[in-house]
Coordinates of all heavy atoms in Angstrom, one line a residue:
K1 N 0.8 -1.2 0.0 CA 0.0 0.0 0.0 C 0.9 1.3 0.0 O 0.4 2.3 -0.4 CB -0.9 0.0 1.2 CG -2.0 -1.1 1.1 CD -2.9 -0.9 2.4 CE -4.1 -2.0 2.3 NZ -5.0 -1.9 3.4
E2 N 2.1 1.1 0.4 CA 3.0 2.3 0.5 C 3.2 2.9 -0.9 O 3.5 4.1 -1.0 CB 4.4 1.8 1.1 CG 4.3 1.5 2.6 CD 3.8 0.2 2.9 OE1 3.6 -0.7 1.9 OE2 3.5 -0.1 4.0
L3 N 3.1 2.0 -1.9 CA 3.3 2.5 -3.3 C 2.2 3.5 -3.7 O 2.5 4.5 -4.3 CB 3.3 1.3 -4.3 CG 4.5 0.3 -4.2 CD1 4.2 -0.8 -5.2 CD2 5.8 1.0 -4.6
F4 N 1.0 3.2 -3.2 CA -0.1 4.1 -3.5 C 0.0 5.4 -2.7 O -0.4 6.4 -3.1 CB -1.4 3.4 -3.3 CG -1.6 2.2 -4.2 CD1 -1.2 0.9 -3.8 CD2 -2.2 2.4 -5.4 CE1 -1.4 -0.2 -4.7 CE2 -2.4 1.3 -6.3 CZ -2.0 0.0 -6.0
E5 N 0.4 5.2 -1.4 CA 0.6 6.4 -0.5 C 1.6 7.3 -1.1 O 1.5 8.5 -1.1 CB 0.9 5.9 0.8 CG -0.2 5.2 1.6 CD 0.3 4.5 2.9 OE1 1.5 4.7 3.2 OE2 -0.5 3.9 3.5
S6 N 2.8 6.8 -1.6 CA 3.8 7.6 -2.2 C 3.3 8.3 -3.5 O 3.6 9.4 -3.7 CB 5.0 6.7 -2.6 OG 5.6 6.1 -1.4
A7 N 2.5 7.5 -4.3 CA 1.9 8.1 -5.5 C 1.0 9.2 -5.1 O 0.9 10.3 -5.9 CB 1.2 7.0 -6.3
S8 N 0.2 9.1 -4.1 CA -0.7 10.1 -3.7 C 0.0 11.4 -3.2 O -0.4 12.5 -3.5 CB -1.6 9.6 -2.5 OG -2.5 10.6 -2.1
I9 N 1.1 11.2 -2.5 CA 1.9 12.3 -2.1 C 2.5 13.1 -3.3 O 2.7 14.3 -3.3 CB 3.1 11.8 -1.1 CG1 2.5 11.3 0.2 CG2 4.1 12.9 -0.8 CD1 3.5 10.7 1.1
D10 N 2.9 12.3 -4.3 CA 3.5 12.9 -5.5 C 2.4 13.5 -6.4 O 2.7 14.1 -7.5 CB 4.2 11.8 -6.3 CG 5.5 11.4 -5.6 OD1 5.9 12.2 -4.8 OD2 5.9 10.3 -5.9
G11 N 1.1 13.5 -6.0 CA 0.1 14.1 -6.7 C -0.7 13.3 -7.6 O -1.6 13.8 -8.4
A12 N -0.5 11.9 -7.6 CA -1.2 11.0 -8.5 C -2.6 10.7 -7.9 O -2.7 10.3 -6.7 CB -0.4 9.7 -8.7
G13 N -3.7 10.8 -8.6 CA -5.0 10.5 -8.2 C -5.2 9.0 -8.2 O -4.4 8.2 -8.7
P14 N -6.4 8.6 -7.8 CA -6.8 7.2 -7.8 C -6.7 6.5 -9.2 O -6.2 5.4 -9.3 CB -8.2 7.1 -7.2 CG -8.3 8.4 -6.4 CD -7.4 9.4 -7.1
T15 N -7.2 7.2 -10.2 CA -7.2 6.7 -11.6 C -5.8 6.5 -12.1 O -5.5 5.5 -12.6 CB -8.0 7.7 -12.4 OG1 -9.3 7.9 -11.9 CG2 -8.1 7.1 -13.9
K16 N -5.0 7.5 -11.9 CA -3.6 7.4 -12.3 C -2.8 6.3 -11.6 O -2.1 5.5 -12.2 CB -2.8 8.7 -12.1 CG -1.4 8.8 -12.8 CD -0.8 10.1 -12.7 CE 0.6 10.2 -13.3 NZ 1.2 11.5 -13.2
A17 N -3.1 6.2 -10.3 CA -2.4 5.1 -9.5 C -2.9 3.7 -10.0 O -2.1 2.8 -10.0 CB -2.8 5.2 -8.0
F18 N -4.1 3.6 -10.4 CA -4.7 2.4 -10.9 C -3.9 2.0 -12.2 O -3.4 0.8 -12.3 CB -6.1 2.5 -11.2 CG -6.8 1.3 -11.9 CD1 -7.2 0.2 -11.1 CD2 -6.9 1.2 -13.2 CE1 -7.8 -0.9 -11.7 CE2 -7.4 0.1 -13.9 CZ -7.9 -1.0 -13.1
F19 N -3.8 2.9 -13.1 CA -3.1 2.5 -14.4 C -1.6 2.4 -14.3 O -1.0 1.6 -15.0 CB -3.5 3.5 -15.5 CG -4.9 3.4 -16.0 CD1 -5.9 4.3 -15.5 CD2 -5.3 2.4 -16.8 CE1 -7.2 4.2 -15.9 CE2 -6.6 2.3 -17.2 CZ -7.6 3.1 -16.7
K20 N -1.0 3.2 -13.4 CA 0.5 3.3 -13.4 C 1.1 2.3 -12.4 O 2.2 1.8 -12.5 CB 0.9 4.7 -13.0 CG 0.6 5.8 -14.0 CD 1.4 5.5 -15.3 CE 1.2 6.7 -16.3 NZ 1.9 6.5 -17.6
I21 N 0.3 1.9 -11.4 CA 0.8 1.0 -10.3 C 0.1 -0.3 -10.3 O 0.8 -1.4 -10.4 CB 0.8 1.7 -8.9 CG1 1.6 3.0 -8.9 CG2 1.3 0.7 -7.9 CD1 1.4 3.7 -7.6
L22 N -1.2 -0.3 -10.2 CA -1.9 -1.5 -10.0 C -1.9 -2.4 -11.2 O -1.6 -3.6 -11.1 CB -3.4 -1.2 -9.6 CG -4.2 -2.4 -9.3 CD1 -3.8 -3.0 -8.0 CD2 -5.7 -2.1 -9.4
L23 N -2.1 -1.8 -12.4 CA -2.1 -2.7 -13.6 C -0.8 -3.4 -13.9 O -0.8 -4.6 -14.1 CB -2.5 -1.8 -14.9 CG -4.0 -1.6 -15.1 CD1 -4.2 -0.9 -16.4 CD2 -4.8 -2.9 -15.0
P24 N 0.4 -2.7 -13.8 CA 1.6 -3.4 -14.1 C 1.8 -4.5 -13.0 O 2.3 -5.6 -13.4 CB 2.7 -2.4 -14.0 CG 1.9 -1.0 -14.3 CD 0.6 -1.2 -13.7
L25 N 1.7 -4.2 -11.8 CA 2.0 -5.2 -10.7 C 0.9 -6.2 -10.5 O 1.1 -7.4 -10.1 CB 2.1 -4.4 -9.3 CG 3.3 -3.5 -9.3 CD1 3.4 -2.8 -7.9 CD2 4.6 -4.2 -9.5
G26 N -0.4 -5.9 -10.9 CA -1.5 -6.8 -10.7 C -1.8 -7.6 -12.0 O -2.7 -8.4 -11.9
M27 N -1.0 -7.4 -13.0 CA -1.3 -8.1 -14.3 C -1.3 -9.6 -14.2 O -2.2 -10.3 -14.8 CB -0.3 -7.6 -15.4 CG -0.7 -8.1 -16.7 SD -2.3 -7.5 -17.3 CE -2.1 -5.8 -17.4
P28 N -0.4 -10.3 -13.4 CA -0.6 -11.7 -13.3 C -1.9 -12.1 -12.7 O -2.5 -13.1 -13.2 CB 0.6 -12.0 -12.3 CG 1.6 -10.9 -12.5 CD 0.8 -9.7 -12.8
G29 N -2.4 -11.4 -11.8 CA -3.7 -11.8 -11.2 C -4.8 -11.5 -12.2 O -5.8 -12.3 -12.3
I30 N -4.7 -10.4 -12.9 CA -5.7 -10.1 -13.9 C -5.7 -11.2 -15.1 O -6.8 -11.6 -15.5 CB -5.5 -8.7 -14.5 CG1 -5.7 -7.7 -13.4 CG2 -6.4 -8.4 -15.7 CD1 -5.3 -6.2 -13.8
V31 N -4.6 -11.6 -15.5 CA -4.5 -12.6 -16.6 C -5.0 -13.9 -16.1 O -5.8 -14.6 -16.8 CB -3.0 -12.7 -17.0 CG1 -2.8 -13.9 -17.9 CG2 -2.5 -11.5 -17.7
C32 N -4.7 -14.3 -14.9 CA -5.2 -15.5 -14.3 C -6.7 -15.5 -14.2 O -7.3 -16.5 -14.5 CB -4.6 -15.7 -12.9 SG -5.2 -17.2 -12.0
T33 N -7.2 -14.4 -13.7 CA -8.7 -14.3 -13.7 C -9.4 -14.3 -15.1 O -10.4 -14.9 -15.2 CB -9.0 -12.9 -13.0 OG1 -8.4 -12.9 -11.7 CG2 -10.6 -12.8 -12.8

């Protein structure tokens, strides 16, 4: 969660954090699903 907190401090909103952080790191889970 620290990645999202750091992104929020740097000015990234929830949408940007989703596409820039969650999608790259969460892609294995998304592909599996």
Side-chain angles (χ1 to χ4, degrees):
K1 291 185 179 181
E2 291 78 11
L3 294 174
F4 296 92
E5 293 172 358
S6 299
S8 179
I9 293 173
D10 291 338
T15 304
K16 188 174 182 180
F18 176 85
F19 287 103
K20 295 293 184 180
I21 299 174
L22 185 75
L23 277 186
L25 296 179
M27 190 56 68
I30 294 173
V31 171
C32 178
T33 304

